[in-house]
């Protein structure tokens, strides 16, 4: 109250501004214009935008911005901080210098590991950061409860509790679209909680079209970031869904959206931008929301349209009416760039404070580690052994016809049947150079189960890779050509309390400890990215296809990706949501 | 819950639609496209929009719409129902056939008369109408408390109470912009209530520019419908204010906005549309939001942009996310028109029910009169007499130099000094053919005071006109050339419990009883409009300039119109907010 009065006084020239940004060229995301204007800041807010120069009393400070464009800070409409493999503070230090000032996060990775405590950690660890972090309540923890074992299960009660917390502003991507369309008990009750409060309900529905898509929207979720083809994206825009244009480490939709924008001559108000999942090397090399905006421009968006979608549209979507534009009354989150056609943040201000300059944080963030960060969350019933990871044949068999997950980049996963020899009672994959063993070890200290499967198409020819990042339950995933290498990689990762590890012939080639929930590292980006790069290079050395072979590994256990996956409970048909026997002669 | 499940089921083709609108050409306000699509409706909502035709089970009913365009129902972003001089039910019956399906009303006229009871009446009288009525809490009752006597005063307590009521969705036009900029106790506390709840705060700031305008926005209100000139409108759009393009009976801003849209090539997302105040004859002749849209198109808006602003933008502004587009999940409020370039509603559906066709309601509204409608709200201390309305000179004067309100259409009101003779102790205006007497009689049964003044420039040469519509306090206003005619007109209006009346030489020329709060009639539009027309014609016969001379009368007591007004307490400087003596030789 008092604060607002002081800002009003500063706006009318009755007291000194805290800061005047002078000589900038304003990017107006409301009128889609660009023109010179001085920007006056008081009490963390913009209080004046004057085309004719500030006429009031001498400001307390001035920032000369001649020759620079002033944009609103970018709003990332949907992102999982955990995918950066950094703690929230490390993530903030990585994205603020890129011009991202607001992120709407879905902490569902850490929620799958640590439940409500994990979500609380993300809130507490972001409470005092200069990055503005709004949280959506994870809706599908785990993705499909009957098919996998996570560290927690969220029902309507947990969702209601999260929605009562400060800075929790909606329901995060409802991935269980089958549950919405079929009105499953679980999804109906979770949606009831959010819809009855008038909350934003975000969606996730790859490939969904026609009546199924309409039913999904009618059920509540009204956004999507998974759409890929031109037809699907246009259908979703036409149906009024908020389409979250995405450039992630896995996927990008801005080129198709650029084509739509060029054809229709219109950037719809329901188009926003997001990063979803970005790995450390991509963050370091390409950037964050600035990269999304540059890719959108390269794909045919007018710069002003790309910037509008990445700022105002995102803020409006999430009902963050206090930001998204450089205008009186809004938070003073401002990015200065030199080139509007390929914007790169030069100076970044949050709440009127300079936080980054020339790609670097101006001051390091106060890193006061949260107690959660030192907890071990990897709880295996026993140390992984080669025997425990081998695929045992049925008794008396000399060979087995096995169902194998067949993977090809950008294609739905299919099943093939492959005949493999049996030696000493063990199915021997070494006979088929393109086939790997895949084991998912429950690691939350719950059932302690183990799902086994076979995979082809990833290219891994030798060695093994282990990961406690394994969407969405984040059990311990081990993929390899020999049970020995697999056991060593898994044991190494477990000893770190989580992480990534690549092994060949009994030797560790590369490793990334991720001790925070088995998902995140306390290291800053510039230390972490080379480790992840090294791991990817090691995997390429073992035959996996680049770039970023890790991305193919992380999704192998995800039971919402069509058409098949392997979870800690076994081989899964993700469309029918049922288990399938590994042996081709069983149904 | 149950209802949503049924809609989801209908959407996916699992049960019969209630209605299928087939063969229409869809106007897509998201993608700004026009293409053929069938529209499926179930449970009052749109559940399917299929470009390839509905493929599900046979719907319960079909509506053939070949050759017609389907638009979302219009959203009027700011309107005073009272200005239609009709009860809420009469208003609904007048605007629904025009395609207006949602109105955001500010009931501040009835609030000035009857306080919270008046607002409650508007809520209760609209609760069961097919028109969707959202209410903003009146913020400035009366407009300027120190300068006028209304039937009620609203402070933060009253505003908080209204905001707790269902269907009250924000704070209505904050007209006291001086109070906001100077952070008056009253406005600060009222704004605190609304802003602390995150409510939409609507504005009203004619002519405000530069630092004053910025201070107003920083203070809370972030919309305006009063802006007129190109420069002012563009400034407000640039500053991110929601500009409510208006075509009312008093004023229109769409032509200037059309010019801006043509120049910038962009209809900003913060441009919405409203009617504010429309008199019965204009409603009957021109229409309602359909007229605003046609005027916008005539002014240079592309039809799709005008429709988008009048639907989606308005819904978004008021956070009515369940409407504003023809898309799955939204309320089935749909207008079918034949001509996109000059849309006129052919069929109008609300919640999937046909409510109007070819400009007529399909069925009369159930009119169950509210008890408030039979209350008398005109409480004068005594019957008006010629003596009580005459301007008495100071003792011993043979003439008086009097300050006279000078009125010219479209110009701020100024003051002139005119020397008038005194006869029998009374200032005689008959000597100056262009000067009228103006009396404002407090009529709420409170102070019982009487403000007198003189006006020139209205053209009235004979007779008198009385009105209990006198913004915003709605005291009994009487304007005339002789105290006798004035007394008769005032007494007539009082005997009706409010209304309008025109008298010449002791004979009533025309009259409009408005017994509901002295503002509204129970009559339907087709009966009421001719009465208002007759009154306007009578005033033109007495010399007043047309069209619609009443509009000049209604604003004479409004102390927020620059630069002068006469209230029940006397002559007012509306800029300095002080009283001025009538006698030119006094300060």
């Amino acid at each position: 109250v008092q604060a607002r009065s002081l800002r009003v006084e500063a706006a009318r020239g009755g007291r000194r501004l805290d800061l005047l940004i002078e000589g900038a060229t304003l990017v107006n995301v409301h009128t889609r214009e660009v023109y010179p204007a001085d920007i006056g800041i008081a009490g963390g807010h913009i209080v004046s935008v004057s085309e004719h120069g500030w006429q009031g009393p001498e400001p307390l400070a001035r920032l000369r911005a001649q020759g620079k464009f002033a944009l609103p800070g970018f709003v990332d409409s949907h992102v999982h901080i955990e995918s950066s493999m950094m703690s929230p503070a490390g993530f903030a230090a990585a994205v603020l210098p890129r011009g991202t000032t607001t992120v709407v996060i879905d902490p569902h990775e850490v929620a799958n590991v640590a439940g409500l405590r994990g979500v609380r950690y993300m809130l507490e660890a972001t409470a005092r950061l200069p990055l503005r972090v709004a949280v959506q309540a994870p809706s599908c923890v785990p993705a499909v409860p009957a098919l996998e074992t996570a560290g927690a299960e969220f029902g309507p009660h947990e969702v209601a509790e999260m929605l009562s917390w400060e800075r929790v502003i909606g329901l995060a991507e409802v991935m269980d679209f089958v549950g919405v369309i079929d009105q499953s008990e679980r999804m109906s009750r979770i949606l009831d909680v959010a819809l009855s409060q008038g909350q934003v309900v975000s969606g996730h529905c790859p490939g969904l079209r026609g009546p199924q898509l309409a039913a999904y929207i009618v059920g509540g979720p009204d956004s999507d970031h998974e759409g890929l083809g031109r037809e699907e994206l246009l259908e979703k825009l036409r149906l009024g869904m908020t389409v979250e244009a995405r450039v992630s480490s896995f996927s990008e939709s801005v080129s198709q959206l650029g084509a739509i924008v060029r054809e229709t001559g219109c950037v719809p108000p329901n188009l926003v931008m997001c990063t979803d999942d970005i790995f450390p090397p991509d963050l370091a090399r390409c950037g964050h929301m600035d990269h999304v905006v540059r890719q959108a421009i390269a794909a045919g968006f007018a710069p002003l349209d790309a910037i509008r979608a990445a700022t105002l549209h995102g803020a409006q979507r999430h009902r963050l009416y206090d930001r998204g534009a450089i205008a009186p009354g809004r938070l003073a989150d401002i990015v200065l760039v030199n080139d509007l056609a390929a914007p790169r943040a030069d100076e970044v201000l949050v709440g009127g404070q300079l936080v980054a300059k020339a790609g670097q944080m101006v001051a390091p963030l106060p890193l006061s580690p949260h107690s959660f960060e030192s907890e071990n969350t990897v709880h295996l019933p026993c140390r992984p052994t080669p025997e425990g990871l081998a695929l045992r044949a049925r008794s008396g068999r000399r060979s087995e016809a096995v169902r194998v997950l067949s993977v090809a980049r950008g294609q739905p996963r299919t099943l093939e049947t492959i005949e493999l020899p049996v030696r000493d009672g063990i199915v021997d994959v070494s006979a088929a150079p393109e086939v790997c063993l895949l084991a998912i070890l429950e690691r939350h200290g719950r059932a302690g189960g183990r799902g086994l499967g076979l995979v082809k198409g990833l290219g891994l020819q030798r060695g093994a890779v282990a990961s406690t990042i394994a969407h969405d339950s984040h059990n311990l995933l081990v993929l390899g050509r020999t049970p020995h290498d697999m056991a060593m990689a898994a044991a190494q990762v477990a000893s770190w309390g989580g992480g990534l590890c690549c092994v060949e012939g009994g030797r560790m080639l590369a490793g990334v400890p991720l001790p925070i929930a088995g998902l995140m590292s306390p290291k800053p980006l510039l230390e972490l990215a080379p480790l992840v790069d090294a791991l990817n290079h090691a995997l390429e050395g073992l035959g996996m296809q680049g770039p970023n072979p890790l991305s193919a590994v992380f999704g192998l256990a995800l039971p919402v990706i069509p058409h098949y996956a392997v979870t800690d409970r076994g081989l899964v048909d993700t469309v029918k949501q049922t288990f399938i026997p590994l042996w081709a002669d069983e149904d």
Side-chain angles (χ1 to χ4, degrees), chain A:
Chain A
V1 184
Q2 183 67 2
R4 197 181 72 237
S5 270
L6 296 178
R7 297 197 298 267
V8 171
E9 215 177 313
R12 68 165 189 260
R15 58 184 291 124
R16 295 172 72 182
L17 297 171
D18 295 336
L19 176 67
L20 181 70
I21 301 176
E22 51 185 354
T25 300
L26 182 82
V27 173
N28 192 314
V29 294
H30 283 105
T31 58
R32 226 178 152 284
E33 294 175 297
V34 167
Y35 50 85
D38 285 357
I39 303 162
I41 294 168
H45 289 65
I46 297 160
V47 300
S48 160
V49 179
S50 24
E51 297 160 42
H52 309 295
W54 173 247
Q55 307 287 329
E58 178 62 25
L60 294 170
R62 290 172 180 264
L63 176 63
R64 294 179 54 83
Q66 276 76 7
K68 294 181 188 173
F69 295 92
L71 333 177
F74 298 127
V75 177
D76 189 340
S77 284
H78 174 67
V79 58
H80 307 282
I81 286 182
E82 300 95 316
S83 295
S84 76
M85 303 184 201
M86 281 180 285
S87 71
F91 175 82
V95 305
L96 281 167
R98 299 307 199 140
T100 304
T101 56
T102 289
V103 293
V104 179
I105 70 166
D106 173 8
H108 79 196
E109 315 299 1
V110 70
N112 267 281
V113 174
L116 292 179
R117 284 179 56 247
V119 178
R120 267 250 165 261
Y121 159 66
M122 296 302 273
L123 279 163
E124 287 164 10
T126 55
R128 275 166 297 276
L129 297 178
L131 182 69
R132 302 191 195 269
V133 180
V135 176
Q136 289 192 308
S139 63
C140 300
V141 173
V144 189
L147 300 182
E148 58 187 324
T149 310
E153 277 99 46
F154 283 179
H157 175 78
E158 287 76 15
V159 168
E161 178 161 355
M162 288 184 284
L163 288 174
S164 75
W165 296 344
E166 211 181 329
R167 273 197 294 131
V168 177
I169 62 163
L171 191 64
E173 51 174 340
V174 179
M175 296 183 291
D176 182 6
F177 52 85
V178 176
V180 177
I181 296 166
D182 293 346
Q183 292 285 291
S184 75
E185 169 89 9
R186 174 198 187 216
M187 284 323 306
S188 287
R189 290 180 58 204
I190 287 175
L191 287 165
D192 286 346
V193 168
L195 293 171
S196 67
Q197 295 183 17
Q199 297 275 358
V200 171
V201 176
S202 294
H204 162 118
C205 55
L208 210 61
R209 307 282 305 271
Q212 300 286 305
L213 177 58
Y216 181 68
I217 301 169
V218 171
D222 63 353
S223 69
D224 179 60
H225 47 264
E226 293 291 331
L228 280 180
R230 183 193 167 283
E231 294 300 319
E232 179 185 343
L233 288 163
L234 183 58
E235 179 175 359
K236 287 173 172 174
L237 286 170
R238 284 180 170 177
L239 293 185
M241 294 191 95
T242 295
V243 169
E244 296 150 333
R246 177 172 70 175
V247 179
S248 75
S249 286
F250 294 103
S251 171
E252 70 85 18
S253 57
V254 292
S255 22
Q256 294 285 348
L257 287 164
I260 292 172
V261 163
R262 289 197 311 271
E263 282 166 41
T264 62
C266 158
V267 173
N270 48 328
L271 193 156
V272 304
M273 296 197 180
C274 77
T275 62
D276 201 355
D277 301 280
I278 302 199
F279 295 150
D282 295 331
L283 263 182
R285 267 192 293 271
C286 304
H288 193 242
M289 284 294 291
D290 58 329
H291 178 58
V292 183
V293 168
R294 287 190 301 269
Q295 292 294 101
I297 294 170
F301 283 71
L304 286 175
D305 286 330
I307 293 164
R308 182 195 265 183
T311 57
L312 185 63
H313 288 182
Q316 300 256 13
R317 161 63 184 172
H318 290 290
R319 307 181 189 170
L320 300 167
Y321 300 109
D322 57 1
R323 63 198 83 170
I326 298 179
R330 312 245 175 171
L331 294 167
D333 300 349
I334 296 170
V335 181
L336 299 177
V337 307
N338 290 308
D339 180 3
L340 204 57
R344 274 170 216 284
D346 192 4
E347 274 113 339
V348 181
L349 292 92
V350 174
Q353 303 287 325
L354 187 72
V355 297
K357 191 169 160 59
Q360 303 290 328
M361 292 297 287
V362 165
L365 291 179
L367 295 181
S368 46
H370 191 284
S371 63
F372 179 78
E373 296 178 3
S374 51
E375 272 181 40
N376 177 27
T377 64
V378 178
H379 306 290
L380 296 176
C382 55
R383 187 184 162 87
T385 60
E387 297 69 36
L389 296 171
L391 178 59
R392 192 159 296 279
R394 290 170 292 182
S395 84
R397 303 276 174 148
R398 302 182 61 183
S399 72
E400 288 276 17
V402 194
R403 291 194 172 100
V404 176
L405 205 61
S406 176
V407 178
R409 212 170 259 251
Q411 300 294 320
R413 299 194 285 243
T414 56
L415 282 190
E416 287 180 21
T417 297
I418 293 182
E419 186 86 19
L420 290 169
V422 174
R423 290 189 223 287
D424 301 330
I426 303 292
V427 176
D428 183 11
V429 301
S430 68
E434 73 280 23
V435 174
C436 293
L437 279 162
L438 173 64
I440 311 294
L441 312 181
E442 194 280 309
R443 64 102 163 172
H444 302 295
R446 304 184 80 192
R450 192 199 68 164
L452 290 182
L454 299 180
V455 185
K456 64 166 282 193
L458 287 169
L460 189 76
Q461 286 160 6
R462 300 177 302 282
V465 55
S467 170
T468 47
I469 300 178
H471 296 286
D472 277 340
S473 299
H474 303 298
N475 286 306
L476 203 167
L477 178 156
V478 210
L479 177 80
R481 290 281 293 159
T482 77
H484 279 88
D485 283 349
M486 289 169 71
M488 181 181 165
Q492 178 60 263
V493 156
S495 78
W496 288 332
L500 315 171
C501 177
C502 178
V503 165
E504 183 192 9
R507 194 171 62 90
M508 183 169 93
L509 302 180
V512 186
L514 299 171
I516 307 175
L519 303 170
M520 293 170 274
S521 161
K523 291 187 197 298
L525 181 61
L526 292 184
E527 291 177 38
L528 185 63
L531 298 183
V532 178
D533 266 337
L535 204 126
N536 266 323
H537 291 145
L539 290 176
E540 288 175 35
L542 296 177
M544 286 191 74
Q545 294 143 12
N548 196 12
L550 270 175
S551 66
V553 174
F554 292 161
L556 289 170
L558 184 55
V560 292
I561 296 287
H563 299 288
Y564 304 95
V566 176
T567 75
D568 64 296
R569 303 198 201 164
L571 178 63
V572 166
D573 180 324
T574 63
V575 177
K576 294 191 190 140
Q577 303 205 344
T578 53
F579 291 102
I580 306 172
L582 274 186
W583 314 125
D585 54 8
E586 296 181 2
D587 287 327

